[in-house]
Amino acid sequence: MKFPGLGLRLPECAWRRGSSWLLLAPLLTPPVPVITAPPCSLCPEGAHRFQWIRNLVPEFGISSSHVKVLSSPAEFYELLKVQIKTAKQRVVMASLYLGTGLLEQELKQKHYLRPLGKPDLGRFLMLECKFHSRVDCLEETLEKSLQAKGSSNLKVSILLDYTRGSRGRKNSRTMLIPLLQRFPEQVRVSLFHTPNLRGLLRLLIPERFNETIGLQHIKVYLFDDNVILSGANLSDLYFTNRQDRYVLLQDSPEIADFFTELVDAIGDVSLQLQRDDTVQMMEGMVHPYQGDKVAYCEIANRRVMEVINSARTRQELLHAKTFHSSQRGSSLLSQQGSQASGGLKTEPDTWIYPLIQMKPFGIQIDEMVTETLLTEAERDARIYLSTGYFNLTQAYMDLILGTRAEYRILLASPEVNGFFGAKGVAGAIPAAYVYIEHQFYSEVCYLHQQERVQLQEYSRAGWTFHAKGLWLYLAGSDLPCLTLIGSPNFGYRSVHRDLEAQVAIVTENKALQQQLHQEQEQLYLCSGVVSSSTFEQPNRYVKLWVKLVTPLIKNFF
């Protein structure tokens, strides 16, 4: 185990069950990690003790009034519709895939494979509405933009995963081709293909399982200068009865620019979808699975790090200008704000830090920041950690078990797991998660940590659970000052295989802290505390073959 910022690696045997080394974790970690910046006179005390994150990524200071926390799939869906319809300059969407279901395929084909009864008809109309809102709404917005000016300034960039987006005869690609055909100069569709799926492995792994090797997993939805950060994909479940998290950052051009550049960078090293449903790489770019793997990963690393470092430099210069101008009694930004709006620009009380994790490219920023947050959380601090798929990395488990803060970990009960009821081998995945959960709970009990580390299972009839993230409450505080929100699940795949992005939102504004607190409470209210009796229930029975196979495959799901 390697401690963040310390450069000390303990032998793995020292972290086995009951080891006394585990109890020394708080003593071995320094009070301030190496990546921490010196005290900054520009930053207030308290919530902004996390200013060390800006040593790794750009820091965007904004007003808390620009942040809105959403609570439901329906609210997320309605917001997407409104934002698409009102976009004027850019639409940027990064997701795992663009969903398509049987009824949507029937709609697209203009015929029906079977008669529709009344229940089916109601669902058909619902899906028809959502289908048009996703794809046709984009088409309508592009068409209006063309009609208004003759030549449109609106650009649409969509980033999806190649393997997931190509699955089946009707898929994300076939949904988007009409846009490429009608608006070839305005629409770009990029399909990321992991460099780790290549050669014989790519030929042998079946279509449904090839995505276990690695994915484009980032979820960012951006419209002009408004950014929606979420863990939700673009499919009907995520608009109706699949619980996730969603945060809107309004009128935030610098943050929107950053994520536009990030999606562009990943898009540049991805396969480009063509109007005839073929794909090709940009000219001069190394192919992800046919070209040299090392060369491809080096290029991808450079492109992504250029985005991060250039944005960080811009923000540091802006930060310095604002500080030195305010020392003279007149902020340059305030002058610009008064000229544009007749008023003064408000001082930021909220800070946004984009955390990127792309281990295939050697980028591990999110992992570093998350481990440091877990390490540095003081005694009596509370961390609420949520994941749709409970499969924490060994490093995260060691830190939770070996540090001082109180933990409330929210995970899916088997019935609300996204794989519940799936056919074939996938149907056993919820049982595998139960087995992993039981092992971790047993470890908590063995170390007598049941009061400090508590597991809670989300359960809601007719729903599935996909919410992920973290809320940090400082010691003595009833409200969180920091949250992590985005695509990572805190598991092996998130850390080692997939492309991930989330943001750390740090705020000292009580109203925004209250929003985050209510979000956390709303999710946890639908949960029950895990105890020994939980695993005695009939629906928690795990077959022997699942127990034997889980250690071998747990790093792939």
PDB file of all heavy atoms in Angstrom, residues 111-144:
ATOM      1  N   HIS A 111     -42.714   0.425 -38.273  1.00  0.00           N
ATOM      2  CA  HIS A 111     -43.618  -0.709 -38.212  1.00  0.00           C
ATOM      3  C   HIS A 111     -43.453  -1.402 -36.883  1.00  0.00           C
ATOM      4  O   HIS A 111     -42.502  -1.132 -36.155  1.00  0.00           O
ATOM      5  CB  HIS A 111     -43.368  -1.688 -39.370  1.00  0.00           C
ATOM      6  CG  HIS A 111     -42.078  -2.433 -39.260  1.00  0.00           C
ATOM      7  ND1 HIS A 111     -40.892  -1.915 -39.730  1.00  0.00           N
ATOM      8  CD2 HIS A 111     -41.786  -3.648 -38.737  1.00  0.00           C
ATOM      9  CE1 HIS A 111     -39.919  -2.784 -39.520  1.00  0.00           C
ATOM     10  NE2 HIS A 111     -40.418  -3.836 -38.907  1.00  0.00           N
ATOM     11  N   TYR A 112     -44.365  -2.303 -36.548  1.00  0.00           N
ATOM     12  CA  TYR A 112     -44.369  -2.917 -35.240  1.00  0.00           C
ATOM     13  C   TYR A 112     -44.221  -4.414 -35.360  1.00  0.00           C
ATOM     14  O   TYR A 112     -44.806  -5.050 -36.231  1.00  0.00           O
ATOM     15  CB  TYR A 112     -45.673  -2.560 -34.498  1.00  0.00           C
ATOM     16  CG  TYR A 112     -45.919  -1.074 -34.532  1.00  0.00           C
ATOM     17  CD1 TYR A 112     -46.966  -0.551 -35.285  1.00  0.00           C
ATOM     18  CD2 TYR A 112     -45.061  -0.214 -33.865  1.00  0.00           C
ATOM     19  CE1 TYR A 112     -47.164   0.820 -35.337  1.00  0.00           C
ATOM     20  CE2 TYR A 112     -45.256   1.151 -33.929  1.00  0.00           C
ATOM     21  CZ  TYR A 112     -46.323   1.666 -34.669  1.00  0.00           C
ATOM     22  OH  TYR A 112     -46.502   3.012 -34.722  1.00  0.00           O
ATOM     23  N   LEU A 113     -43.422  -4.976 -34.479  1.00  0.00           N
ATOM     24  CA  LEU A 113     -43.160  -6.398 -34.526  1.00  0.00           C
ATOM     25  C   LEU A 113     -44.273  -7.206 -33.889  1.00  0.00           C
ATOM     26  O   LEU A 113     -44.379  -8.397 -34.081  1.00  0.00           O
ATOM     27  CB  LEU A 113     -41.837  -6.693 -33.806  1.00  0.00           C
ATOM     28  CG  LEU A 113     -40.614  -5.974 -34.394  1.00  0.00           C
ATOM     29  CD1 LEU A 113     -39.370  -6.364 -33.607  1.00  0.00           C
ATOM     30  CD2 LEU A 113     -40.433  -6.304 -35.861  1.00  0.00           C
ATOM     31  N   ARG A 114     -45.132  -6.541 -33.068  1.00  0.00           N
ATOM     32  CA  ARG A 114     -46.241  -7.246 -32.440  1.00  0.00           C
ATOM     33  C   ARG A 114     -47.318  -6.230 -32.115  1.00  0.00           C
ATOM     34  O   ARG A 114     -47.050  -5.035 -32.041  1.00  0.00           O
ATOM     35  CB  ARG A 114     -45.782  -7.947 -31.156  1.00  0.00           C
ATOM     36  CG  ARG A 114     -45.169  -7.015 -30.123  1.00  0.00           C
ATOM     37  CD  ARG A 114     -44.720  -7.789 -28.903  1.00  0.00           C
ATOM     38  NE  ARG A 114     -43.994  -6.934 -27.976  1.00  0.00           N
ATOM     39  CZ  ARG A 114     -44.570  -6.145 -27.084  1.00  0.00           C
ATOM     40  NH1 ARG A 114     -45.884  -6.068 -27.023  1.00  0.00           N
ATOM     41  NH2 ARG A 114     -43.849  -5.421 -26.256  1.00  0.00           N
ATOM     42  N   PRO A 115     -48.563  -6.665 -31.946  1.00  0.00           N
ATOM     43  CA  PRO A 115     -49.632  -5.718 -31.614  1.00  0.00           C
ATOM     44  C   PRO A 115     -49.364  -5.037 -30.272  1.00  0.00           C
ATOM     45  O   PRO A 115     -48.772  -5.630 -29.375  1.00  0.00           O
ATOM     46  CB  PRO A 115     -50.887  -6.605 -31.527  1.00  0.00           C
ATOM     47  CG  PRO A 115     -50.513  -7.873 -32.198  1.00  0.00           C
ATOM     48  CD  PRO A 115     -49.032  -8.036 -32.050  1.00  0.00           C
ATOM     49  N   LEU A 116     -49.815  -3.801 -30.142  1.00  0.00           N
ATOM     50  CA  LEU A 116     -49.631  -3.044 -28.910  1.00  0.00           C
ATOM     51  C   LEU A 116     -50.926  -3.006 -28.117  1.00  0.00           C
ATOM     52  O   LEU A 116     -51.956  -2.518 -28.602  1.00  0.00           O
ATOM     53  CB  LEU A 116     -49.186  -1.606 -29.217  1.00  0.00           C
ATOM     54  CG  LEU A 116     -47.777  -1.448 -29.790  1.00  0.00           C
ATOM     55  CD1 LEU A 116     -47.559   0.003 -30.200  1.00  0.00           C
ATOM     56  CD2 LEU A 116     -46.729  -1.868 -28.800  1.00  0.00           C
ATOM     57  N   GLY A 117     -50.912  -3.537 -26.889  1.00  0.00           N
ATOM     58  CA  GLY A 117     -52.050  -3.411 -25.989  1.00  0.00           C
ATOM     59  C   GLY A 117     -52.009  -2.060 -25.319  1.00  0.00           C
ATOM     60  O   GLY A 117     -51.103  -1.260 -25.539  1.00  0.00           O
ATOM     61  N   LYS A 118     -52.980  -1.799 -24.438  1.00  0.00           N
ATOM     62  CA  LYS A 118     -53.043  -0.485 -23.794  1.00  0.00           C
ATOM     63  C   LYS A 118     -51.813  -0.168 -22.951  1.00  0.00           C
ATOM     64  O   LYS A 118     -51.268   0.927 -23.037  1.00  0.00           O
ATOM     65  CB  LYS A 118     -54.309  -0.390 -22.949  1.00  0.00           C
ATOM     66  CG  LYS A 118     -55.565  -0.246 -23.792  1.00  0.00           C
ATOM     67  CD  LYS A 118     -56.787  -0.048 -22.908  1.00  0.00           C
ATOM     68  CE  LYS A 118     -58.035   0.110 -23.781  1.00  0.00           C
ATOM     69  NZ  LYS A 118     -59.249   0.281 -22.937  1.00  0.00           N
ATOM     70  N   PRO A 119     -51.299  -1.110 -22.121  1.00  0.00           N
ATOM     71  CA  PRO A 119     -50.093  -0.790 -21.348  1.00  0.00           C
ATOM     72  C   PRO A 119     -48.904  -0.506 -22.257  1.00  0.00           C
ATOM     73  O   PRO A 119     -48.125   0.402 -22.023  1.00  0.00           O
ATOM     74  CB  PRO A 119     -49.868  -2.053 -20.497  1.00  0.00           C
ATOM     75  CG  PRO A 119     -51.206  -2.722 -20.461  1.00  0.00           C
ATOM     76  CD  PRO A 119     -51.837  -2.433 -21.777  1.00  0.00           C
ATOM     77  N   ASP A 120     -48.783  -1.319 -23.337  1.00  0.00           N
ATOM     78  CA  ASP A 120     -47.678  -1.106 -24.263  1.00  0.00           C
ATOM     79  C   ASP A 120     -47.798   0.247 -24.950  1.00  0.00           C
ATOM     80  O   ASP A 120     -46.816   0.924 -25.201  1.00  0.00           O
ATOM     81  CB  ASP A 120     -47.659  -2.213 -25.320  1.00  0.00           C
ATOM     82  CG  ASP A 120     -47.264  -3.553 -24.729  1.00  0.00           C
ATOM     83  OD1 ASP A 120     -46.429  -3.535 -23.819  1.00  0.00           O
ATOM     84  OD2 ASP A 120     -47.795  -4.576 -25.163  1.00  0.00           O
ATOM     85  N   LEU A 121     -49.034   0.624 -25.295  1.00  0.00           N
ATOM     86  CA  LEU A 121     -49.233   1.886 -25.993  1.00  0.00           C
ATOM     87  C   LEU A 121     -48.808   3.065 -25.141  1.00  0.00           C
ATOM     88  O   LEU A 121     -48.163   4.000 -25.618  1.00  0.00           O
ATOM     89  CB  LEU A 121     -50.710   2.019 -26.379  1.00  0.00           C
ATOM     90  CG  LEU A 121     -51.089   3.290 -27.163  1.00  0.00           C
ATOM     91  CD1 LEU A 121     -50.297   3.346 -28.467  1.00  0.00           C
ATOM     92  CD2 LEU A 121     -52.583   3.312 -27.442  1.00  0.00           C
ATOM     93  N   GLY A 122     -49.132   2.993 -23.852  1.00  0.00           N
ATOM     94  CA  GLY A 122     -48.710   4.077 -22.964  1.00  0.00           C
ATOM     95  C   GLY A 122     -47.206   4.191 -22.903  1.00  0.00           C
ATOM     96  O   GLY A 122     -46.643   5.283 -22.971  1.00  0.00           O
ATOM     97  N   ARG A 123     -46.520   3.046 -22.784  1.00  0.00           N
ATOM     98  CA  ARG A 123     -45.054   3.073 -22.746  1.00  0.00           C
ATOM     99  C   ARG A 123     -44.489   3.512 -24.090  1.00  0.00           C
ATOM    100  O   ARG A 123     -43.503   4.230 -24.160  1.00  0.00           O
ATOM    101  CB  ARG A 123     -44.523   1.684 -22.364  1.00  0.00           C
ATOM    102  CG  ARG A 123     -43.002   1.624 -22.363  1.00  0.00           C
ATOM    103  CD  ARG A 123     -42.474   0.455 -21.567  1.00  0.00           C
ATOM    104  NE  ARG A 123     -41.071   0.253 -21.802  1.00  0.00           N
ATOM    105  CZ  ARG A 123     -40.097   0.990 -21.317  1.00  0.00           C
ATOM    106  NH1 ARG A 123     -40.380   2.023 -20.562  1.00  0.00           N
ATOM    107  NH2 ARG A 123     -38.833   0.711 -21.577  1.00  0.00           N
ATOM    108  N   PHE A 124     -45.151   3.089 -25.165  1.00  0.00           N
ATOM    109  CA  PHE A 124     -44.693   3.485 -26.490  1.00  0.00           C
ATOM    110  C   PHE A 124     -44.703   5.000 -26.647  1.00  0.00           C
ATOM    111  O   PHE A 124     -43.749   5.600 -27.136  1.00  0.00           O
ATOM    112  CB  PHE A 124     -45.601   2.848 -27.544  1.00  0.00           C
ATOM    113  CG  PHE A 124     -45.299   3.295 -28.949  1.00  0.00           C
ATOM    114  CD1 PHE A 124     -44.253   2.730 -29.655  1.00  0.00           C
ATOM    115  CD2 PHE A 124     -46.052   4.295 -29.552  1.00  0.00           C
ATOM    116  CE1 PHE A 124     -43.971   3.150 -30.941  1.00  0.00           C
ATOM    117  CE2 PHE A 124     -45.763   4.715 -30.827  1.00  0.00           C
ATOM    118  CZ  PHE A 124     -44.727   4.138 -31.534  1.00  0.00           C
ATOM    119  N   LEU A 125     -45.807   5.633 -26.201  1.00  0.00           N
ATOM    120  CA  LEU A 125     -45.904   7.083 -26.326  1.00  0.00           C
ATOM    121  C   LEU A 125     -44.847   7.780 -25.487  1.00  0.00           C
ATOM    122  O   LEU A 125     -44.276   8.793 -25.887  1.00  0.00           O
ATOM    123  CB  LEU A 125     -47.303   7.535 -25.910  1.00  0.00           C
ATOM    124  CG  LEU A 125     -48.437   7.092 -26.854  1.00  0.00           C
ATOM    125  CD1 LEU A 125     -49.787   7.455 -26.253  1.00  0.00           C
ATOM    126  CD2 LEU A 125     -48.273   7.705 -28.233  1.00  0.00           C
ATOM    127  N   MET A 126     -44.572   7.226 -24.291  1.00  0.00           N
ATOM    128  CA  MET A 126     -43.550   7.805 -23.423  1.00  0.00           C
ATOM    129  C   MET A 126     -42.186   7.734 -24.094  1.00  0.00           C
ATOM    130  O   MET A 126     -41.428   8.700 -24.142  1.00  0.00           O
ATOM    131  CB  MET A 126     -43.508   7.071 -22.089  1.00  0.00           C
ATOM    132  CG  MET A 126     -42.439   7.586 -21.134  1.00  0.00           C
ATOM    133  SD  MET A 126     -42.295   6.553 -19.658  1.00  0.00           S
ATOM    134  CE  MET A 126     -41.486   5.106 -20.323  1.00  0.00           C
ATOM    135  N   LEU A 127     -41.852   6.556 -24.652  1.00  0.00           N
ATOM    136  CA  LEU A 127     -40.556   6.391 -25.298  1.00  0.00           C
ATOM    137  C   LEU A 127     -40.451   7.229 -26.563  1.00  0.00           C
ATOM    138  O   LEU A 127     -39.387   7.747 -26.903  1.00  0.00           O
ATOM    139  CB  LEU A 127     -40.318   4.907 -25.632  1.00  0.00           C
ATOM    140  CG  LEU A 127     -40.106   3.997 -24.421  1.00  0.00           C
ATOM    141  CD1 LEU A 127     -39.904   2.560 -24.874  1.00  0.00           C
ATOM    142  CD2 LEU A 127     -38.929   4.450 -23.593  1.00  0.00           C
ATOM    143  N   GLU A 128     -41.591   7.362 -27.278  1.00  0.00           N
ATOM    144  CA  GLU A 128     -41.589   8.180 -28.483  1.00  0.00           C
ATOM    145  C   GLU A 128     -41.208   9.617 -28.144  1.00  0.00           C
ATOM    146  O   GLU A 128     -40.378  10.249 -28.797  1.00  0.00           O
ATOM    147  CB  GLU A 128     -42.966   8.145 -29.135  1.00  0.00           C
ATOM    148  CG  GLU A 128     -43.046   9.009 -30.396  1.00  0.00           C
ATOM    149  CD  GLU A 128     -44.436   8.981 -31.011  1.00  0.00           C
ATOM    150  OE1 GLU A 128     -45.375   8.575 -30.325  1.00  0.00           O
ATOM    151  OE2 GLU A 128     -44.551   9.379 -32.167  1.00  0.00           O
ATOM    152  N   CYS A 129     -41.808  10.126 -27.059  1.00  0.00           N
ATOM    153  CA  CYS A 129     -41.514  11.489 -26.614  1.00  0.00           C
ATOM    154  C   CYS A 129     -40.043  11.633 -26.275  1.00  0.00           C
ATOM    155  O   CYS A 129     -39.386  12.583 -26.661  1.00  0.00           O
ATOM    156  CB  CYS A 129     -42.374  11.823 -25.409  1.00  0.00           C
ATOM    157  SG  CYS A 129     -41.978  13.386 -24.636  1.00  0.00           S
ATOM    158  N   LYS A 130     -39.498  10.670 -25.529  1.00  0.00           N
ATOM    159  CA  LYS A 130     -38.109  10.758 -25.107  1.00  0.00           C
ATOM    160  C   LYS A 130     -37.166  10.604 -26.289  1.00  0.00           C
ATOM    161  O   LYS A 130     -36.122  11.238 -26.367  1.00  0.00           O
ATOM    162  CB  LYS A 130     -37.820   9.707 -24.034  1.00  0.00           C
ATOM    163  CG  LYS A 130     -38.577   9.989 -22.744  1.00  0.00           C
ATOM    164  CD  LYS A 130     -38.219   9.010 -21.682  1.00  0.00           C
ATOM    165  CE  LYS A 130     -39.070   9.231 -20.447  1.00  0.00           C
ATOM    166  NZ  LYS A 130     -38.971  10.555 -19.899  1.00  0.00           N
ATOM    167  N   PHE A 131     -37.517   9.748 -27.230  1.00  0.00           N
ATOM    168  CA  PHE A 131     -36.691   9.572 -28.413  1.00  0.00           C
ATOM    169  C   PHE A 131     -36.565  10.886 -29.170  1.00  0.00           C
ATOM    170  O   PHE A 131     -35.490  11.313 -29.540  1.00  0.00           O
ATOM    171  CB  PHE A 131     -37.302   8.493 -29.311  1.00  0.00           C
ATOM    172  CG  PHE A 131     -36.663   8.413 -30.671  1.00  0.00           C
ATOM    173  CD1 PHE A 131     -35.464   7.761 -30.846  1.00  0.00           C
ATOM    174  CD2 PHE A 131     -37.260   9.015 -31.765  1.00  0.00           C
ATOM    175  CE1 PHE A 131     -34.870   7.699 -32.087  1.00  0.00           C
ATOM    176  CE2 PHE A 131     -36.674   8.960 -33.002  1.00  0.00           C
ATOM    177  CZ  PHE A 131     -35.483   8.295 -33.174  1.00  0.00           C
ATOM    178  N   HIS A 132     -37.713  11.519 -29.408  1.00  0.00           N
ATOM    179  CA  HIS A 132     -37.686  12.783 -30.146  1.00  0.00           C
ATOM    180  C   HIS A 132     -36.925  13.846 -29.374  1.00  0.00           C
ATOM    181  O   HIS A 132     -36.235  14.670 -29.968  1.00  0.00           O
ATOM    182  CB  HIS A 132     -39.114  13.247 -30.433  1.00  0.00           C
ATOM    183  CG  HIS A 132     -39.734  12.539 -31.597  1.00  0.00           C
ATOM    184  ND1 HIS A 132     -39.337  12.762 -32.887  1.00  0.00           N
ATOM    185  CD2 HIS A 132     -40.695  11.589 -31.655  1.00  0.00           C
ATOM    186  CE1 HIS A 132     -40.045  12.002 -33.716  1.00  0.00           C
ATOM    187  NE2 HIS A 132     -40.875  11.270 -32.987  1.00  0.00           N
ATOM    188  N   SER A 133     -37.026  13.823 -28.052  1.00  0.00           N
ATOM    189  CA  SER A 133     -36.338  14.830 -27.249  1.00  0.00           C
ATOM    190  C   SER A 133     -34.839  14.680 -27.346  1.00  0.00           C
ATOM    191  O   SER A 133     -34.116  15.659 -27.248  1.00  0.00           O
ATOM    192  CB  SER A 133     -36.784  14.713 -25.787  1.00  0.00           C
ATOM    193  OG  SER A 133     -38.147  15.001 -25.690  1.00  0.00           O
ATOM    194  N   ARG A 134     -34.343  13.450 -27.495  1.00  0.00           N
ATOM    195  CA  ARG A 134     -32.911  13.239 -27.507  1.00  0.00           C
ATOM    196  C   ARG A 134     -32.293  13.548 -28.852  1.00  0.00           C
ATOM    197  O   ARG A 134     -31.352  14.310 -28.966  1.00  0.00           O
ATOM    198  CB  ARG A 134     -32.595  11.793 -27.133  1.00  0.00           C
ATOM    199  CG  ARG A 134     -32.415  11.566 -25.673  1.00  0.00           C
ATOM    200  CD  ARG A 134     -31.507  10.398 -25.434  1.00  0.00           C
ATOM    201  NE  ARG A 134     -31.867   9.252 -26.201  1.00  0.00           N
ATOM    202  CZ  ARG A 134     -32.768   8.343 -25.843  1.00  0.00           C
ATOM    203  NH1 ARG A 134     -33.408   8.488 -24.719  1.00  0.00           N
ATOM    204  NH2 ARG A 134     -33.020   7.318 -26.599  1.00  0.00           N
ATOM    205  N   VAL A 135     -32.802  12.922 -29.901  1.00  0.00           N
ATOM    206  CA  VAL A 135     -32.160  13.040 -31.198  1.00  0.00           C
ATOM    207  C   VAL A 135     -32.845  14.090 -32.064  1.00  0.00           C
ATOM    208  O   VAL A 135     -32.206  14.985 -32.604  1.00  0.00           O
ATOM    209  CB  VAL A 135     -32.144  11.673 -31.910  1.00  0.00           C
ATOM    210  CG1 VAL A 135     -31.494  11.788 -33.276  1.00  0.00           C
ATOM    211  CG2 VAL A 135     -31.401  10.644 -31.069  1.00  0.00           C
ATOM    212  N   ASP A 136     -34.171  13.991 -32.182  1.00  0.00           N
ATOM    213  CA  ASP A 136     -34.878  14.929 -33.033  1.00  0.00           C
ATOM    214  C   ASP A 136     -34.806  16.346 -32.494  1.00  0.00           C
ATOM    215  O   ASP A 136     -34.836  17.315 -33.252  1.00  0.00           O
ATOM    216  CB  ASP A 136     -36.341  14.506 -33.188  1.00  0.00           C
ATOM    217  CG  ASP A 136     -36.467  13.231 -34.011  1.00  0.00           C
ATOM    218  OD1 ASP A 136     -35.436  12.748 -34.491  1.00  0.00           O
ATOM    219  OD2 ASP A 136     -37.591  12.724 -34.173  1.00  0.00           O
ATOM    220  N   CYS A 137     -34.708  16.468 -31.181  1.00  0.00           N
ATOM    221  CA  CYS A 137     -34.578  17.804 -30.594  1.00  0.00           C
ATOM    222  C   CYS A 137     -33.275  18.452 -31.048  1.00  0.00           C
ATOM    223  O   CYS A 137     -33.227  19.645 -31.334  1.00  0.00           O
ATOM    224  CB  CYS A 137     -34.622  17.691 -29.070  1.00  0.00           C
ATOM    225  SG  CYS A 137     -35.120  19.191 -28.258  1.00  0.00           S
ATOM    226  N   LEU A 138     -32.219  17.662 -31.097  1.00  0.00           N
ATOM    227  CA  LEU A 138     -30.953  18.166 -31.625  1.00  0.00           C
ATOM    228  C   LEU A 138     -31.103  18.582 -33.081  1.00  0.00           C
ATOM    229  O   LEU A 138     -30.608  19.628 -33.511  1.00  0.00           O
ATOM    230  CB  LEU A 138     -29.869  17.084 -31.504  1.00  0.00           C
ATOM    231  CG  LEU A 138     -29.026  17.045 -30.241  1.00  0.00           C
ATOM    232  CD1 LEU A 138     -28.098  15.841 -30.277  1.00  0.00           C
ATOM    233  CD2 LEU A 138     -28.214  18.323 -30.077  1.00  0.00           C
ATOM    234  N   GLU A 139     -31.780  17.736 -33.846  1.00  0.00           N
ATOM    235  CA  GLU A 139     -31.974  18.029 -35.270  1.00  0.00           C
ATOM    236  C   GLU A 139     -32.780  19.312 -35.459  1.00  0.00           C
ATOM    237  O   GLU A 139     -32.437  20.156 -36.295  1.00  0.00           O
ATOM    238  CB  GLU A 139     -32.690  16.849 -35.933  1.00  0.00           C
ATOM    239  CG  GLU A 139     -32.745  16.949 -37.441  1.00  0.00           C
ATOM    240  CD  GLU A 139     -33.261  15.676 -38.080  1.00  0.00           C
ATOM    241  OE1 GLU A 139     -33.476  14.694 -37.350  1.00  0.00           O
ATOM    242  OE2 GLU A 139     -33.448  15.673 -39.309  1.00  0.00           O
ATOM    243  N   GLU A 140     -33.823  19.472 -34.657  1.00  0.00           N
ATOM    244  CA  GLU A 140     -34.630  20.685 -34.743  1.00  0.00           C
ATOM    245  C   GLU A 140     -33.826  21.927 -34.395  1.00  0.00           C
ATOM    246  O   GLU A 140     -33.957  22.976 -35.031  1.00  0.00           O
ATOM    247  CB  GLU A 140     -35.834  20.564 -33.803  1.00  0.00           C
ATOM    248  CG  GLU A 140     -36.877  19.563 -34.249  1.00  0.00           C
ATOM    249  CD  GLU A 140     -37.910  19.287 -33.174  1.00  0.00           C
ATOM    250  OE1 GLU A 140     -37.932  20.050 -32.181  1.00  0.00           O
ATOM    251  OE2 GLU A 140     -38.671  18.314 -33.314  1.00  0.00           O
ATOM    252  N   THR A 141     -32.983  21.817 -33.376  1.00  0.00           N
ATOM    253  CA  THR A 141     -32.170  22.962 -32.955  1.00  0.00           C
ATOM    254  C   THR A 141     -31.159  23.334 -34.041  1.00  0.00           C
ATOM    255  O   THR A 141     -30.952  24.525 -34.332  1.00  0.00           O
ATOM    256  CB  THR A 141     -31.432  22.639 -31.641  1.00  0.00           C
ATOM    257  OG1 THR A 141     -32.392  22.308 -30.643  1.00  0.00           O
ATOM    258  CG2 THR A 141     -30.616  23.826 -31.161  1.00  0.00           C
ATOM    259  N   LEU A 142     -30.543  22.339 -34.655  1.00  0.00           N
ATOM    260  CA  LEU A 142     -29.616  22.604 -35.750  1.00  0.00           C
ATOM    261  C   LEU A 142     -30.329  23.230 -36.939  1.00  0.00           C
ATOM    262  O   LEU A 142     -29.819  24.162 -37.575  1.00  0.00           O
ATOM    263  CB  LEU A 142     -28.928  21.300 -36.167  1.00  0.00           C
ATOM    264  CG  LEU A 142     -27.832  20.784 -35.228  1.00  0.00           C
ATOM    265  CD1 LEU A 142     -27.541  19.309 -35.497  1.00  0.00           C
ATOM    266  CD2 LEU A 142     -26.554  21.601 -35.365  1.00  0.00           C
ATOM    267  N   GLU A 143     -31.517  22.727 -37.242  1.00  0.00           N
ATOM    268  CA  GLU A 143     -32.295  23.256 -38.370  1.00  0.00           C
ATOM    269  C   GLU A 143     -32.675  24.711 -38.132  1.00  0.00           C
ATOM    270  O   GLU A 143     -32.549  25.563 -39.019  1.00  0.00           O
ATOM    271  CB  GLU A 143     -33.551  22.403 -38.558  1.00  0.00           C
ATOM    272  CG  GLU A 143     -34.344  22.724 -39.810  1.00  0.00           C
ATOM    273  CD  GLU A 143     -33.573  22.436 -41.085  1.00  0.00           C
ATOM    274  OE1 GLU A 143     -33.052  21.323 -41.224  1.00  0.00           O
ATOM    275  OE2 GLU A 143     -33.474  23.360 -41.932  1.00  0.00           O
ATOM    276  N   LYS A 144     -33.144  25.022 -36.924  1.00  0.00           N
ATOM    277  CA  LYS A 144     -33.518  26.400 -36.598  1.00  0.00           C
ATOM    278  C   LYS A 144     -32.319  27.332 -36.684  1.00  0.00           C
ATOM    279  O   LYS A 144     -32.424  28.475 -37.130  1.00  0.00           O
ATOM    280  CB  LYS A 144     -34.121  26.458 -35.191  1.00  0.00           C
ATOM    281  CG  LYS A 144     -35.532  25.903 -35.098  1.00  0.00           C
ATOM    282  CD  LYS A 144     -36.026  25.968 -33.661  1.00  0.00           C
ATOM    283  CE  LYS A 144     -37.404  25.323 -33.538  1.00  0.00           C
ATOM    284  NZ  LYS A 144     -37.863  25.285 -32.122  1.00  0.00           N
TER     285      LYS A 144
END
